[in-house]
Amino acid sequence: MQYGPAAQPQYGSLQLPHGAIDLPVFMPDATLGVVRSTDATDLRNCQLQALVMNTFHLMQRPGTSTIQSLGGLHTMSGWQGPIVTDSGGFQAYSLIQQNAKFGSLNADGITFKPEGSDRKFQLTPEKAVQLQMSYGADIIMCLDYCTHVDADAALQAEAVTRTIDWARRCKKEYERLLKQKKLAEEKRPLLFGVVQGGGSEELRRRCAEALLEIGFDGFGYGGWPLDKHGNLLTDIITYTRNLIPAHYQMHALGVGHPGSIAELTRLGYGIFDCAMPTRDARHARLYSFTSASTSFASGERWFTYIYVNDDKYIKNNRPVSEFCDCLCCTHYSTGYLHHLFKINDTLFFRLATIHNLRFMTMLTQRIRDGYYGQIG
C-alpha cells in the first residue's frame, strides 16, 4: 500500500542549549559516552554536530554518580556540542524481550539485571527524565515501549498504551524539574515523545494523537524500522510522519544507512542516528561517493562500499575516496589501511571510523546544499 505525500523536509536549524544544529543531521552513537576509537577532536574534525548517548547503558557504566563527579556527559567526554540521550526503550526491547531472564517490563517501567551483574536496575519514566537532565542532555527522549513490526496485535496495543502513559509521566516530571531548576528558556533541554504502534495505522494514529495532546518539542519514530528482510518500512514510516504536523522535527531513531537517510529526508525526517557507519568502519566496510556532486535520482548509484580488507587493495596507493577531505583520505592510501587492518592495529579503527563519519556529514551537507531537489 502506498500513502500520500509525506510532510516536506523542514530545513533550517534546531536551537539547543549547547549550540544549534543544521538539519538534516546525522548523529553517531556514542552509547557509553564515546564513539569507539575516536576522541572529541576527531569528531569535531569530521564536522559532526551532535552525538547520541544512551541512558540505559550509562546508568550502569560508568554509573550516574561517576558521570556527575566527572562534570556531566559534556565535560566527561570532552564533547561540547549538543548531546541527545536515548531513554533506553529500544535497549529494553532488544535485551529483555529477547531473553526474559534479564528483566521485565510492567506498567511502572523497566527492571533489569545485566548479565554478569548482581545488581538490579529500575528505569521508570520519571527516573529516565531525571537521569537525562542530570547528565546535561540537550534533547531528552521519553521512555517508550519498543516493539518489532511483526509483534502480535495485542503486544502492539499494550506497547502503545504504556508508551502514552509513560510519555505523560515523563512530561509531568520534566515540567517539575524545569520549575525546580529555574532554567532559562535557552538552557532548557528539548523533550521528544516517541510514536509507537508497529505496522498498524490505527495504533500509530492513536499514539501520535495522544502525544500531540500531551505536548512535546519534537517526536521520534519508534520501533524497529526494518522488516524481516532488512528493508526499510517506508510506508508506515511515511504514514507516521504525516500524523505529526510538519513544523515539528522528527527523529528517525536508529536509521543510519546512507540510502535510508536520503529517502527519509525526502519524506520529512530531519534527525538520524545509528551505530552502523562506525561498526561498518571497524569491519573494513568504508563508504565513498561516486562523484563530486550527488544526484539522488531514483535508481542512480551515488555511493559505493570499499572493502579495504580485500587483497586487491594491497598495493593501492590511492585514497579510499578522492571526494573526501578527512584525515584518512588526505594522508593515507587504501593500501596502507589494508595493511593496518591485516595487522589489527588500532590506528585502522580510528582512521576508518573518521572516514565513514566524514562521509555521513558530507551526505547531510550535500542534502542541505540543495542536491536533494534532484530526487526523482
Side-chain angles (χ1 to χ4, degrees):
M1 180 184 296
Q2 296 295 322
Y3 299 103
Q8 291 300 305
Q10 300 291 307
Y11 298 139
S13 62
L14 192 60
Q15 301 296 321
L16 299 170
H18 287 86
I21 56 176
D22 296 322
L23 302 170
V25 62
F26 170 78
M27 306 176 292
D29 287 359
T31 303
L32 287 163
V34 60
V35 176
R36 290 178 61 181
S37 306
T38 65
D39 67 7
T41 300
D42 291 331
L43 302 178
R44 285 191 291 269
N45 289 339
C46 290
Q47 298 185 35
L48 288 161
Q49 300 184 79
L51 307 179
V52 172
M53 300 184 187
N54 189 271
T55 305
F56 182 87
H57 292 292
L58 288 167
M59 66 187 291
Q60 301 173 58
R61 294 183 299 169
T64 300
S65 63
T66 298
I67 292 170
Q68 292 173 339
S69 295
L70 296 176
L73 293 178
H74 290 87
T75 301
M76 180 182 82
S77 67
W79 173 259
Q80 296 307 311
I83 292 175
V84 177
T85 44
D86 190 353
S87 69
F90 177 78
Q91 286 67 36
Y93 156 74
S94 55
L95 178 69
I96 299 170
Q97 292 190 3
Q98 300 303 312
N99 193 334
K101 75 175 186 179
F102 291 124
S104 61
L105 295 90
N106 55 43
D108 193 46
I110 303 167
T111 301
F112 61 97
K113 186 170 77 170
E115 190 170 15
S117 173
D118 294 328
R119 179 184 174 188
K120 280 189 176 181
F121 293 84
Q122 187 172 32
L123 189 60
T124 65
E126 292 80 10
K127 187 171 183 180
V129 172
Q130 292 164 10
L131 291 173
Q132 291 177 79
M133 289 194 77
S134 74
Y135 295 162
D138 292 79
I139 297 180
I140 293 171
M141 305 300 294
C142 287
L143 186 65
D144 62 308
Y145 192 136
C146 184
T147 61
H148 192 279
V149 69
D150 294 329
D152 63 56
L155 180 59
Q156 301 285 15
E158 178 186 9
V160 166
T161 298
R162 286 187 179 169
T163 293
I164 294 169
D165 179 56
W166 290 355
R168 189 174 290 110
R169 290 165 58 187
C170 283
K171 177 69 178 292
K172 182 177 180 180
E173 181 63 12
Y174 171 80
E175 291 181 331
R176 185 188 73 81
L177 290 173
L178 286 183
K179 184 176 180 180
Q180 179 188 86
K181 294 176 180 293
K182 300 179 180 178
L183 292 177
E185 177 61 25
E186 64 274 13
K187 298 295 183 181
R188 177 181 73 86
L190 303 187
L191 182 65
F192 277 36
V194 180
V195 183
Q196 292 290 349
S200 166
E201 293 179 41
E202 179 185 354
L203 290 175
R204 288 280 176 180
R205 177 175 293 278
R206 175 186 161 200
C207 193
E209 289 177 349
L211 296 181
L212 284 166
E213 183 178 353
I214 295 168
F216 294 98
D217 297 300
F219 299 86
Y221 174 87
W224 190 248
L226 307 175
D227 65 18
K228 61 184 178 181
H229 303 295
N231 299 314
L232 194 67
L233 295 165
T234 306
D235 284 354
I236 196 66
I237 292 173
T238 303
Y239 180 79
T240 304
R241 170 67 268 198
N242 281 331
L243 294 172
I244 304 296
H247 64 274
Y248 287 108
Q249 288 300 331
M250 281 203 72
H251 184 166
L253 293 159
V255 173
H257 185 284
S260 297
I261 289 178
E263 174 68 6
L264 294 195
T265 303
R266 183 179 68 83
L267 297 177
Y269 290 82
I271 307 172
F272 304 90
D273 80 280
C274 191
M276 188 183 73
T278 52
R279 183 175 59 245
D280 276 355
R282 296 193 301 273
H283 289 85
R285 184 161 88 158
L286 306 188
Y287 307 161
S288 176
F289 291 107
T290 57
S291 65
S293 62
T294 303
S295 169
F296 296 98
S298 179
E300 183 165 333
R301 190 183 184 196
W302 51 268
F303 88 100
T304 188
Y305 296 118
I306 308 295
Y307 295 91
V308 297
N309 60 325
D310 194 310
D311 284 348
K312 70 181 181 181
Y313 294 115
I314 289 176
K315 297 182 180 180
N316 188 308
N317 63 1
R318 303 292 301 167
V320 171
S321 173
E322 62 183 295
F323 309 115
C324 183
D325 60 4
C326 76
L327 174 68
C328 178
C329 291
T330 56
H331 288 77
Y332 304 102
S333 68
T334 306
Y336 184 58
L337 280 184
H338 174 89
H339 167 65
L340 292 176
F341 181 80
K342 289 299 184 180
I343 64 173
N344 198 34
D345 193 276
T346 56
L347 180 58
F348 171 81
F349 303 116
R350 176 176 177 241
L351 293 176
T353 300
I354 287 171
H355 171 78
N356 273 6
L357 289 178
R358 181 61 182 127
F359 173 92
M360 300 303 292
T361 60
M362 291 177 71
L363 169 60
T364 52
Q365 184 63 57
R366 289 185 181 200
I367 294 173
R368 287 193 296 272
D369 285 347
Y371 293 111
Y372 214 87
Q374 302 177 45
I375 289 182

